[in-house]
């Protein structure tokens, strides 16, 4: 393993997962770039504590600790690159990207020297076998771009991640590596970078989540990091970019968002998401002059099913009703579980009051049809209260509360009934006038 690491043109350090991260091994590139360790430095904690530039906004030790914390929190997953200024043996500053990953009980720290990255292609001397070992398990593609926005270097990892060979990338435009919508964003970033370069403004790291294109034209989410590289005279050399495959991270994030916004049992939107969608629907209603209906509903025979056949049957009944709601509304509408046996429907783009009534009637008709759970023929019924925007309320809270009140009035009339909120108001006004 040491032989492979020694041939990597990036500074690599292996350390124990101990309180101070005792150093086990550093590769030759690390020693050439940052020098040999002195007798008083036995750990990464010691090294980063002492390696600081005087004008640094944040100490390298602080940045390193943040990176390590993320690596330890997600074993096996490389951290996002963070930039720091490290001091080399000749006391010059080296703009460096630090990436860390925990493998078993070892912390692998990689330091990418941005001032030397243009020479990666010439120095890359790993054998073919070892090269495959490295990029078969990598999530990053490193590439460089010259002043004319032409690719001058692409790391071999590109083949594993996108299907393109290095030669295919170098002969093509960088535009072809990204989805059209993402390329528009990248173009704006490149324009800003080149504008800053021409104006002699200080550069900074640009990060953007983009959709990367594979050779088979499929897309995946990647995190793009770009920075400009200058020579010792301050002259711009090229841009260096790192594209990281974050598909799994995005998938995990989407799963977390789904869990936070949907009911676990029925997979319907929960109260929070339904309120957000209702708020959006009200805004759209103003623009297109259409009605929005809010239907608050409660199951009447649910407790009986729970008591007689158990909670598993009760859960199955809730799932059945969720399916009824899905089949009774349009794709643009929302059916949600508020809690217990209470549900909500937000129906949009309605032209008349009668459109809302038809949806309610369809829900009640389908709900009343018998269904089988564990060999038992069961039956549900529902009560529905309906409010209309803009006539019954001006905001989310008003419309839901009035629909809830109307639902209780419908329940008083018996099972499988619906009631409009304005009917209750008219009835009360009629009683007052007598």
């Amino acid at each position: 393993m040491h032989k492979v690491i020694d041939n990597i043109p990036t500074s690599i350090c292996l350390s124990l997962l101990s309180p101070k991260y005792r150093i086990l091994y550093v590769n030759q590139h690390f020693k050439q770039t940052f020098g040999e360790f002195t007798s008083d430095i036995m750990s990464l904690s010691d090294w980063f504590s002492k390696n600081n530039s005087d004008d640094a906004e944040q100490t390298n030790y602080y940045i390193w600790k943040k990176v390590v914390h993320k690596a330890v929190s997600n074993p096996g997953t490389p951290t996002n690159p963070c930039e720091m200024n490290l001091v080399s043996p000749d006391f010059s500053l080296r703009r460096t990207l630090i990436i860390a990953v925990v493998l078993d009980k070892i912390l692998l720290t990689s330091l990418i020297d941005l001032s030397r990255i243009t020479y990666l292609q010439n120095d890359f001397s790993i054998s073919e076998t070892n090269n495959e070992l490295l990029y078969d398990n990598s999530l990053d593609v490193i590439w460089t771009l010259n002043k004319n926005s032409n690719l001058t270097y692409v790391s071999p990892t590109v083949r594993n991640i996108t299907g393109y060979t290095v030669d295919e990338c170098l002969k093509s435009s960088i535009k072809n590596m990204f989805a059209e919508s993402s390329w528009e964003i990248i173009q704006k970033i490149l324009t800003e970078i080149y504008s800053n370069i021409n104006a002699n403004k200080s550069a900074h790291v640009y990060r953007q989540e983009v959709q990367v294109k594979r050779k088979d034209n499929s897309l995946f989410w990647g995190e793009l990091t770009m920075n400009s590289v200058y020579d010792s005279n301050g002259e711009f050399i090229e841009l260096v970019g790192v594209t990281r495959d974050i598909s799994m991270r995005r998938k995990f994030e989407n799963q977390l968002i789904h869990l936070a916004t949907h009911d676990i049992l029925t997979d319907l939107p929960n109260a929070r998401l339904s309120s957000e969608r209702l708020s959006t629907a009200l805004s759209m209603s103003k623009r297109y002059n259409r009605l929005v209906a809010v239907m608050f509903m409660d199951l009447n025979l649910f407790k009986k099913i729970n008591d007689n056949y158990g909670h598993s049957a009760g859960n199955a009944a809730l799932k059945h009703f969720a399916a009824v709601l899905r089949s009774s509304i349009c794709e643009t509408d929302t059916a949600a579980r508020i809690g217990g046996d209470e549900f909500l429907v937000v129906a949009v783009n309605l032209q008349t009051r009668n459109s809302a009534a038809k949806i309610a009637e369809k829900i009640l008709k389908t709900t009343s049809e018998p269904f089988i759970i564990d060999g038992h023929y069961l039956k549900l019924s529902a009560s529905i209260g309906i409010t209309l925007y803009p006539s019954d309320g001006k905001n989310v809270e008003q419309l839901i509360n009035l629909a809830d009140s109307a639902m209780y009035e419908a329940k008083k009339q018996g099972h499988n009934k619906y009631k409009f909120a304005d009917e209750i108001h008219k009835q009360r006004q009629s009683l007052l006038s007598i």
Side-chain angles (χ1 to χ4, degrees):
M1 183 177 179
H2 288 179
K3 185 176 180 181
V4 176
I5 294 176
D6 272 338
N7 281 313
I8 300 176
T10 298
S11 299
I12 301 290
C13 176
L14 302 179
S15 57
L16 281 176
L17 282 181
S18 58
K20 297 188 74 175
Y21 299 91
R22 184 166 65 85
I23 296 168
L24 296 175
Y25 179 79
V26 295
N27 68 349
Q28 290 300 317
H29 194 276
F30 192 107
K31 294 175 184 177
Q32 292 168 5
T33 307
F34 300 108
E36 298 277 355
F37 287 113
T38 56
S39 58
D40 61 327
I41 296 178
M42 301 295 294
S43 68
L44 275 183
S45 179
D46 294 334
W47 190 71
F48 279 104
S49 294
K50 296 182 178 182
N51 193 309
N52 282 292
S53 61
D54 295 333
D55 59 346
E57 294 182 10
Q58 294 181 331
T59 66
N60 291 332
Y61 177 77
Y62 174 77
I63 297 172
W64 170 74
K65 287 290 287 184
K66 283 173 49 178
V67 171
V68 170
H69 176 74
K70 291 179 181 178
V72 173
S73 301
N74 298 281
T77 303
T79 61
N80 294 328
C82 285
E83 187 175 354
M84 59 173 61
N85 288 320
L86 291 173
V87 182
S88 61
D90 62 0
F91 300 104
S92 63
L93 289 181
R94 293 184 181 271
R95 290 174 57 236
T96 306
L97 290 179
I98 176 172
I99 300 171
V101 60
V102 171
L103 302 172
D104 196 9
K105 296 182 180 180
I106 302 296
L107 176 71
L108 187 153
T109 304
S110 174
L111 300 175
I112 302 172
D113 183 3
L114 295 181
S115 64
R116 291 176 59 86
I117 200 153
T118 54
Y119 306 106
L120 276 175
Q121 194 169 19
N122 295 330
D123 294 342
F124 206 83
S125 58
I126 307 175
S127 68
E128 185 176 348
T129 302
N130 289 340
N131 190 49
E132 289 177 0
L133 175 65
L134 289 171
Y135 72 74
D136 277 352
N137 297 287
S138 177
L139 294 173
D140 296 342
V141 177
I142 300 172
W143 46 269
T144 56
L145 206 64
N146 64 16
K147 296 177 181 178
N148 299 319
S149 293
N150 295 321
L151 287 165
T152 55
Y153 170 79
V154 180
S155 63
T157 49
V158 71
R159 185 168 190 171
N160 186 56
I161 295 176
T162 69
Y164 288 106
T165 65
V166 171
D167 286 341
E168 286 173 331
C169 291
L170 293 176
K171 291 175 182 177
S172 180
S173 167
I174 187 176
K175 176 182 178 180
N176 298 327
M177 295 174 65
F178 302 96
E180 187 175 341
S181 57
S182 293
W183 175 241
E184 292 175 1
I185 298 171
I186 295 169
Q187 273 188 306
K188 292 178 181 178
I189 294 174
L190 290 174
T191 300
E192 184 177 341
I193 290 175
Y194 290 130
S195 175
N196 287 338
I197 291 169
N198 293 332
N200 292 321
K201 293 182 179 179
S202 58
H204 62 276
V205 177
Y206 289 82
R207 288 189 180 87
Q208 180 71 44
E209 291 189 1
V210 296
Q211 285 191 296
V212 186
K213 189 186 297 182
R214 295 188 182 94
K215 191 172 182 177
D216 62 5
N217 284 325
S218 62
L219 302 174
F220 68 91
W221 280 101
E223 182 183 67
L224 178 64
T225 304
M226 287 192 293
N227 204 350
S228 47
V229 180
Y230 298 84
D231 61 20
S232 57
N233 296 319
E235 293 294 322
F236 171 76
I237 303 174
E238 60 188 354
L239 292 177
V240 58
V242 178
T243 304
R244 164 165 295 181
D245 184 352
I246 59 169
S247 303
M248 292 303 295
R249 192 187 86 191
R250 291 280 297 216
K251 182 179 179 181
F252 180 64
E253 288 172 350
N254 290 336
Q255 288 174 341
L256 288 179
I257 293 171
H258 188 85
L259 286 172
T261 56
H262 286 74
D263 174 56
I264 295 176
L265 178 64
T266 64
D267 203 39
L268 291 176
N270 58 18
R272 171 187 164 188
L273 181 56
S274 61
S275 293
E276 290 176 359
R277 290 188 179 176
L278 176 54
S279 179
T280 301
L282 300 187
S283 299
M284 297 299 289
S285 173
K286 292 176 183 176
R287 184 180 302 176
Y288 297 107
N289 197 28
R290 293 294 180 94
L291 299 177
V292 175
V294 178
M295 305 182 188
F296 200 103
M297 54 199 74
D298 180 83
L299 299 179
N300 296 312
L301 300 174
F302 175 69
K303 187 176 184 303
K304 185 177 179 180
I305 293 174
N306 243 352
D307 293 343
N308 293 341
Y309 302 103
H311 290 293
S312 61
N315 287 342
L318 292 172
K319 290 180 181 179
H320 169 77
F321 186 66
V324 168
L325 293 181
R326 288 191 184 98
S327 65
S328 302
I329 62 176
C330 299
E331 288 186 5
T332 52
D333 299 335
T334 297
R337 185 185 178 200
I338 304 303
D341 60 350
E342 293 182 333
F343 294 79
L344 189 80
V345 164
V346 178
V348 299
N349 296 326
L350 303 181
Q351 293 184 347
T352 65
R353 171 195 184 92
N354 191 47
S355 302
K358 285 183 178 179
I359 295 172
E361 289 165 2
K362 184 177 181 180
I363 292 171
L364 294 177
K365 181 179 182 299
T366 311
T367 302
S368 64
E369 295 172 356
F371 57 99
I372 301 174
I373 293 177
D374 296 334
H376 301 288
Y377 279 87
L378 303 178
K379 197 173 182 181
L380 284 171
S381 72
S383 300
I384 303 176
I386 307 172
T387 51
L388 296 174
Y389 176 84
S391 58
D392 293 327
K394 301 302 180 185
N395 57 53
V396 170
E397 187 177 2
Q398 280 182 343
L399 291 166
I400 292 177
N401 288 340
L402 283 172
D404 187 15
S405 299
M407 181 272 293
Y408 280 104
E409 292 299 321
K411 193 180 282 284
K412 292 176 183 178
Q413 296 179 357
H415 293 178
N416 262 30
K417 302 290 184 181
Y418 67 87
K419 195 81 172 177
F420 281 92
D422 63 349
E423 293 176 346
I424 302 170
H425 179 71
K426 290 175 183 177
Q427 287 174 355
R428 288 173 179 170
Q429 289 293 106
S430 178
L431 289 172
L432 289 172
S433 63
I434 295 176

